[in-house]
Amino acid sequence: MRIWQVAAGDGARDCSNLFLMHDVMLISPGGLGHFGEGKDRYYVSNVEKGIVDQIANFHSGPISGDVVLLRKGKRVIAIGKIPDPPNDEYQWDESFGDVLGWDSDIVAEFNGRKVLFPS
């Protein structure tokens, strides 16, 4: 089991309620399509290599049972886990293509036992 962390926005945006309401974690950019089907598009685009490497890790890294810490700034606001198959895989979903102006089509489910910490 590994522990992952995902930020619920970039400071200007707070997507934590969306993450929890839909049991997902999102990263961006995702507008170049499914990473596994077109990773070369990401590497030759104007997206920073470090961000593309994070997307690559998100695409193939998390497995069923891994723990996910949802952060808002530096605070952990929820803890979840990567679900059991078949819902444990990376997805690309254009319905998340504009989340508060954030291109975040890259999705992984974030469900299981969630613990919310008081604000």
Side-chain angles (χ1 to χ4, degrees):
M1 175 188 67
R2 290 181 285 180
I3 298 174
W4 300 85
Q5 58 180 320
V6 62
D10 61 3
R13 298 174 188 92
D14 177 7
C15 301
S16 56
N17 288 335
L18 177 88
F19 281 35
L20 295 170
M21 181 186 326
H22 295 282
D23 285 330
V24 296
M25 54 185 178
L26 308 171
I27 63 168
S28 73
L32 297 171
H34 189 287
F35 186 81
E37 297 169 3
K39 67 181 175 183
D40 293 338
R41 286 189 301 251
Y42 283 86
Y43 281 105
V44 299
S45 70
N46 62 352
V47 179
E48 291 180 35
K49 183 182 181 307
I51 292 172
V52 176
D53 290 345
Q54 288 176 2
I55 294 169
N57 196 29
F58 185 80
H59 171 260
S60 60
I63 60 172
S64 176
D66 284 355
V67 172
V68 180
L69 306 177
L70 177 62
R71 290 186 303 109
K72 184 176 178 181
K74 294 181 179 180
R75 280 186 75 218
V76 173
I77 60 168
I79 300 172
K81 70 172 190 163
I82 303 296
D84 294 330
N87 299 319
D88 62 333
E89 295 183 6
Y90 160 103
Q91 301 169 39
W92 182 84
D93 185 342
E94 65 184 308
S95 62
F96 290 104
D98 184 354
V99 175
L100 302 174
W102 190 38
D103 169 23
S104 53
D105 305 302
I106 300 172
V107 182
E109 288 197 29
F110 172 80
N111 64 17
R113 290 167 270 161
K114 286 185 287 206
V115 177
L116 297 180
F117 296 92
S119 299

